[in-house]
Every structure is written in structure tokens, then in C-alpha cells.
């Protein structure tokens, strides 16, 4: 299967973000829970061929989540999980990399991906980076690339690779 990968960056010098308010019953919570990261990665990732961490044991998840530069936020609908994102700010605080961002299947198609991305960008900006980067691909949700571009990300590299699922 041929997959197109997109590498994007957002220059945040003097960046002003416009955000939309999530519905009243939705809220964001910061998390440091390896089981939750694993749950979202496996549950959301099964639909988009996320594979890199599938073989991780709990000790690898614990080590990953214990990174002080990793930030995980969860979107909830009252007490139900909706989606999550992870980003890493580098040690020099000049760059933030969005690692994962996604919604559980039952919440897709409701513009909540926009909510996740806008919240993520606001959290990244608190570290005063010069740039925010993200990678997406043709296996991700059909609106992922459009959502990043609409928020001001610029395509810096595009490549096609052969992908062998399983």
C-alpha cells in the first residue's frame, strides 16, 4: 500500500489563535497516566494503522509518560472519554512536536478534532516555541491535513512510502 506522509510546521512568532468554545458538557484534563495513553493509542490507532507502540509493555508506557516534556490532554464529555492529544516540547523550548491527536470513533464528524487541535496549540504556545510541528499521513482521518492547514500549518515536506500493514 502506498502512503503519503505530510510534514507540517506552524511558525508561532506573533501568532494569534482564534478558538472555538467546546460544547458546555465538554472539558479538557491534563493527564499523566500510562494506561490512558495506551488506551487512546490502541483504540484510536486501530482505525488509522498506528503500530509503533503496539508491542510496548506497561514499563515502556510508564517510561514514555514520565518524560517531563511530554504533555497529554484528554477531552471528555462529562465523564466519558472523547479524544486526546500528546505533544513534546524540546529541551531548548524552541519547538513543540504534536505526537498524537485523535478522537474515539463515536465522536468523529462533530468538529471535535478542531477543538482538540486548537486546545493543543494553546497549550504548546505556553512554552513560547518558535515553531510547532506535526506529521500526518494519508492513513489518518480524511480531515486531518485540512484541519492543520486551516490552522496555519505549512507543508514542509511530502513523501510517498510503501507501507505493509501487519
Amino acid at each position: 500500500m502506498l502512503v503519503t506522509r505530510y510534514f507540517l510546521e506552524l511558525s508561532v512568532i506573533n501568532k494569534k489563535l482564534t478558538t472555538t468554545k467546546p460544547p458546555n458538557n465538554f472539558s479538557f484534563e491534563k493527564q499523566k497516566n500510562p494506561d490512558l495513553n495506551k488506551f487512546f493509542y490502541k483504540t484510536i490507532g486501530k482505525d488509522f494503522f498506528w503500530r509503533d507502540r503496539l508491542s510496548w509493555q506497561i514499563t515502556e508506557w510508564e517510561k514514555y509518560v514520565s518524560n517531563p516534556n511530554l504533555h497529554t490532554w484528554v477531552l471528555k464529555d462529562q465523564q466519558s472519554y472523547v479524544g486526546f492529544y500528546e505533544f513534546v516540547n524540546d529541551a531548548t523550548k524552541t519547538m513543540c512536536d504534536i505526537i498524537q491527536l485523535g478522537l474515539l470513533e463515536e465522536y468523529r464528524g462533530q468538529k471535535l478534532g478542531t477543538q482538540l487541535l486548537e486546545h493543543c496549540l494553546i497549550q504548546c504556545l505556553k512554552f513560547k516555541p518558535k515553531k510547532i510541528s506535526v506529521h500526518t499521513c494519508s492513513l489518518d482521518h480524511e480531515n486531518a491535513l485540512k484541519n492543520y492547514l486551516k490552522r496555519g500549518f505549512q507543508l514542509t515536506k511530502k513523501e510517498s512510502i510503501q507501507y505493509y500493514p501487519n
Side-chain angles (χ1 to χ4, degrees):
M1 167 179 2
L2 196 60
V3 173
T4 304
R5 294 195 307 190
Y6 305 95
F7 300 79
L8 302 119
E9 285 187 354
L10 176 68
S11 177
V12 295
I13 298 169
N14 299 321
K15 182 72 179 164
K16 299 225 188 294
L17 289 177
T18 57
T19 60
T20 52
K21 191 175 187 296
N24 288 336
N25 51 327
F26 285 78
S27 62
F28 284 95
E29 294 179 3
K30 190 167 185 180
Q31 298 286 330
K32 276 284 190 191
N33 180 337
D35 291 322
L36 201 52
N37 287 66
K38 178 180 176 182
F39 164 76
F40 279 119
Y41 186 86
K42 288 185 171 190
T43 306
I44 295 169
K46 72 179 169 36
D47 296 331
F48 302 109
F49 298 94
W50 296 354
R51 300 283 187 255
D52 296 345
R53 299 186 223 161
L54 288 179
S55 63
W56 282 12
Q57 301 301 312
I58 192 61
T59 53
E60 291 163 295
W61 283 103
E62 289 168 345
K63 181 179 178 187
Y64 177 73
V65 172
S66 71
N67 176 350
N69 295 321
L70 176 74
H71 307 274
T72 303
W73 285 81
V74 172
L75 178 60
K76 294 177 84 174
D77 176 5
Q78 295 177 353
Q79 296 304 309
S80 300
Y81 292 123
V82 172
F84 87 126
Y85 64 83
E86 301 170 338
F87 73 88
V88 174
N89 63 293
D90 70 4
T92 65
K93 307 257 193 279
T94 60
M95 178 77 100
C96 283
D97 294 306
I98 301 171
I99 308 299
Q100 302 293 155
L101 186 146
L103 296 166
L104 295 172
E105 184 176 16
E106 59 269 28
Y107 292 97
R108 295 178 196 148
Q110 300 175 41
K111 305 232 182 257
L112 295 170
T114 297
Q115 303 289 326
L116 274 178
L117 181 55
E118 289 175 351
H119 191 272
C120 179
L121 294 176
I122 289 167
Q123 296 308 310
C124 287
L125 288 175
K126 290 180 179 180
F127 293 93
K128 298 182 179 13
K130 292 180 180 160
K131 292 186 179 182
I132 300 171
S133 70
V134 67
H135 305 152
T136 190
C137 73
S138 55
L139 296 173
D140 285 339
H141 190 275
E142 62 185 282
N143 293 327
L145 181 60
K146 289 184 270 188
N147 197 8
Y148 295 124
L149 293 172
K150 190 172 182 182
R151 302 288 150 326
F153 281 85
Q154 300 293 313
L155 185 63
T156 59
K157 182 180 173 185
K158 177 180 172 182
E159 66 184 11
S160 294
I161 60 166
Q162 194 63 40
Y163 178 72
Y164 303 97
N166 297 335

